[in-house]
Amino acid sequence: MDNKHFMNESNDFAIIWNETLNQIRSELDEQEFNTWFNLEFQSANEKEFTISVPSLFYLDQVKKRYQTYIEGKIEELIGKQVALNLVIKPKTEQKDNIPSEISEPVKKPVSETTTKTEPIRKEKHSQLRNDYSFDTFVVDPNNSFPANAAQAIARNPGTAYNPFLIYGGVGLGKTHLMQAIGNYIHNHSDSKVFYVAAETFTNEFIASIKDSERVKTAFKNKYRFADILLIDDIHFLQNKGGTQEELFYTFNALYDANKQMVFTCDRPVSDLKDFNERLRSRVGRGLNVDLQPPNYETRCAILKKKAEASGINIPDDVIDLVGKNISTNVRDLESALNTLTAYARLAGKPVTLEIAQQRLKDVFASPRQSNISIEIIQRVTAEKFHLSLNDLKGKKRTQSIVYPRQLAMFVCREITEYTTTEIGQHFGGRDHTTVMHSCQKIEDLVRTDPSVDSIIKSLIRDIKDYSLK
Ligand code: ADP
Ligand code: MG
């Protein structure tokens, strides 16, 4: 690939960096991405990308965990080896994990040119993504109810639908819709909008209980003084009794004060395991809506909209090809599109049907595109090994059960998009480290015993056949 013509301007490097981040975002778990990819492009030349991190702690961690990975991603994009040079540049907006006190939103000094009476806030919310708005959310018959409900709540928070729960599988737009509510309210009022991933909420809670009274109170107050509280992925709170209880008190405080709460979850609350009953019933009493995977027309509409936003022309036959072949979720659609727009930018050539077919053939062939659920994998594995589903998911440790169980976990990790945490939850609430350990066991076995590989292959075939029935 001839890269010369686009390697001249720093702007092009910034674009490459953005593409790199886009691709990484599509590969990593959202939480992981948000935690570690707080990285800002500074400058670049043909040999080196200089990227800033907010602190020395980040510098160490990003170096250790991601330096080679990021360099590899850039190389994939531009076909050249580059070094990643990390520098520290503190962000002014950066917030500490545990706030020492409750502060009002910082008011920017009003410059002479802006009018004081302007009712709409112009500063971006520091925890919300700007592009997660109602405008960018494509509505189809499948998701019009959740989308309309979300808009109604954004216009009139804390009234009719409190709390609001959006549930559904990965990559279907839960976070987008929730943040759209947050952005709308943030932009149209001076309400204090708090967005937090359930995982962060948990970590902050755990850190606070080990700390001084002041920190404990700060944590409690932080959330109880919110006007709008958005908590993402509450299924993460399963098995975390202490955190659930804390959320229960926060819930009550906010509910009594008519403050809007919005939650997302990967399943209906009734299916949450090890979940505080009072919290479950309170959340369940609000408006609970589910997001469904988009149908073919909507997939094309989403692709068109995102292609337009990227500024790259993607012809209709390519949109059609991607829309037909990727049916899992919107995140996968986006990532396929990113591959194509990156190609167009970097190669400086238009995206044709042939190019799209060639660039995306691995993605299209991926077993992830078949919407296989953990339940199906468990059912087929149990059947194959003549076990009951309960035994497969349960606690028994006899070898005749442990091995199929490990196999099933391994296959889940291989052919679905579920995280190890989610897989663990489906296997009787096991910890993600147990899932990782099981996968490792199977990998070791494959290395020493070639028959295991064919067992896995045949199991995967059976699972696919089953899921096509
Ligand atoms: P979830 O939280 O359900 O896993 P996200 O909200 O992160 O999913 O959505 C994944 C990606 O797909 C995001 O980039 C989001 O903007 C996009 N997306 C999802 N649904 C839609 C939609 N209906 N219209 C436009 N973009 C969407
Ligand atoms: Mg999400």
Side-chain angles (χ1 to χ4, degrees):
M1 205 191 290
D2 176 16
N3 299 318
K4 280 212 182 69
H5 66 281
F6 70 85
M7 298 295 269
N8 293 331
E9 285 174 44
S10 140
N11 193 23
D12 286 332
F13 287 115
I15 290 175
I16 293 166
W17 175 248
N18 270 343
E19 275 318 326
T20 309
L21 280 187
N22 275 339
Q23 303 229 339
I24 292 176
R25 180 182 289 129
S26 70
E27 281 180 11
L28 295 186
D29 188 69
E30 191 177 335
Q31 179 71 28
E32 183 178 1
F33 182 85
N34 291 342
T35 311
W36 296 114
F37 285 78
N38 212 331
L39 310 176
E40 238 174 59
F41 177 81
Q42 298 299 322
S43 63
N45 57 42
E46 304 233 352
K47 298 206 176 84
E48 190 177 75
F49 273 61
T50 301
I51 303 297
S52 67
V53 291
S55 67
L56 183 62
F57 172 69
Y58 267 86
L59 185 89
D60 279 348
Q61 296 292 318
V62 173
K63 240 191 192 144
K64 227 185 286 161
R65 294 165 186 243
Y66 301 110
Q67 172 129 19
T68 345
Y69 171 62
I70 299 174
E71 287 170 349
K73 278 276 146 231
I74 302 178
E75 189 182 342
E76 265 173 36
L77 278 175
I78 66 175
K80 257 189 196 162
Q81 265 192 357
V82 290
L84 186 69
N85 175 29
L86 294 168
V87 297
I88 300 171
K89 186 175 164 218
K91 283 197 176 162
T92 36
E93 277 187 27
Q94 207 65 28
K95 291 220 169 75
D96 284 336
N97 247 6
I98 310 286
S100 51
E101 57 187 346
I102 310 305
S103 57
E104 285 296 310
V106 185
K107 299 251 168 16
K108 288 227 172 112
V110 183
S111 80
E112 279 155 35
T113 48
T114 53
T115 48
K116 255 186 185 162
T117 47
E118 174 70 79
I120 295 172
R121 234 192 305 217
K122 289 284 187 286
E123 307 118 71
K124 175 189 171 303
H125 190 289
S126 63
Q127 293 149 329
L128 300 175
R129 277 181 57 157
N130 243 350
D131 54 337
Y132 283 177
S133 65
F134 290 123
D135 290 344
T136 54
F137 194 83
V138 176
V139 180
D140 77 337
N142 275 348
N143 67 15
S144 63
F145 182 62
N148 291 337
Q151 297 218 23
I153 287 162
R155 293 208 188 90
N156 249 323
T159 49
Y161 309 120
N162 199 19
F164 180 46
L165 172 80
I166 309 166
Y167 67 90
V170 286
L172 294 179
K174 301 184 295 294
T175 300
H176 185 137
L177 210 47
M178 166 187 252
Q179 292 208 3
I181 298 174
N183 273 319
Y184 185 94
I185 297 174
H186 175 75
N187 292 335
H188 290 84
S189 71
D190 50 16
S191 296
K192 273 178 281 178
V193 177
F194 270 80
Y195 168 85
V196 67
E199 184 167 5
T200 312
F201 184 85
T202 306
N203 293 342
E204 288 183 4
F205 171 68
I206 292 169
S208 79
I209 50 178
K210 291 190 196 128
D211 218 310
S212 64
E213 280 308 315
R214 197 176 61 87
V215 173
K216 260 181 237 163
T217 318
F219 172 79
K220 286 189 198 321
N221 287 345
K222 175 175 171 184
Y223 293 103
R224 288 179 202 176
F225 279 86
D227 293 319
I228 312 289
L229 180 62
L230 315 173
I231 303 190
D232 210 350
D233 292 331
I234 57 166
H235 50 270
F236 183 84
L237 301 180
Q238 289 177 117
N239 306 320
K240 301 189 173 61
T243 314
Q244 290 167 17
E245 196 169 306
E246 176 60 31
L247 179 57
F248 177 72
Y249 294 129
T250 305
F251 184 106
N252 289 341
L254 291 177
Y255 188 83
D256 290 344
N258 291 326
K259 308 290 188 187
Q260 181 70 46
M261 286 168 279
V262 182
F263 304 106
T264 69
C265 189
D266 69 351
R267 66 200 78 179
V269 278
S270 54
D271 290 359
L272 288 169
K273 311 260 157 52
D274 280 313
F275 204 75
N276 180 309
E277 283 311 322
R278 294 183 300 175
L279 187 55
R280 189 204 304 276
S281 84
R282 286 210 182 10
V283 174
R285 254 184 266 151
L287 178 64
N288 292 200
V289 299
D290 66 331
L291 275 180
Q292 295 289 336
N295 62 24
Y296 163 70
E297 279 83 24
T298 312
R299 297 202 290 274
C300 292
I302 290 175
L303 285 165
K304 271 206 174 120
K305 189 153 189 162
K306 306 238 172 206
E308 268 165 31
S310 78
I312 301 272
N313 177 40
I314 305 284
D316 284 349
D317 53 356
V318 173
I319 300 263
D320 186 64
L321 175 83
V322 179
K324 275 205 176 105
N325 283 284
I326 296 187
S327 56
T328 37
N329 61 51
V330 185
R331 190 171 299 149
D332 286 352
L333 286 175
E334 272 184 347
S335 123
L337 191 67
N338 284 341
T339 306
L340 299 180
T341 52
Y343 171 84
R345 280 214 182 88
L346 301 175
K349 290 183 191 150
V351 178
T352 62
L353 192 59
E354 289 69 37
I355 286 175
Q357 255 153 353
Q358 182 219 340
R359 291 265 134 188
L360 297 174
K361 68 175 182 310
D362 292 345
V363 181
F364 292 162
S366 150
R368 289 169 200 267
Q369 286 315 317
S370 51
N371 253 335
I372 292 170
S373 68
I374 296 180
E375 285 76 13
I376 290 181
I377 296 173
Q378 290 173 327
R379 207 167 302 153
V380 175
T381 313
E383 205 169 294
K384 203 172 172 85
F385 288 87
H386 310 293
L387 298 174
S388 74
L389 208 50
N390 278 343
D391 275 350
L392 187 81
K393 296 196 269 186
K395 304 274 177 227
K396 286 190 195 153
R397 292 179 164 278
T398 39
Q399 190 52 30
S400 60
I401 297 178
V402 169
Y403 170 60
R405 186 184 292 142
Q406 290 175 338
L407 264 182
M409 289 186 199
F410 175 82
V411 170
C412 286
R413 202 200 53 181
E414 287 302 292
I415 71 172
T416 74
E417 284 214 273
Y418 290 96
T419 61
T420 45
T421 305
E422 289 162 336
I423 297 172
Q425 279 158 7
H426 283 79
F427 281 84
R430 286 180 161 79
D431 193 73
H432 74 109
T433 50
T434 311
V435 179
M436 280 154 65
H437 173 76
S438 302
C439 294
Q440 188 59 51
K441 270 266 152 89
I442 298 296
E443 280 165 25
D444 293 346
L445 267 181
V446 170
R447 238 172 274 129
T448 50
D449 179 355
S451 73
V452 176
D453 190 44
S454 47
I455 293 173
I456 294 171
K457 290 214 172 89
S458 112
L459 181 58
I460 292 180
R461 260 196 314 276
D462 292 350
I463 291 165
K464 282 194 196 160
D465 287 347
Y466 185 98
S467 71
L468 290 177
K469 268 184 212 160

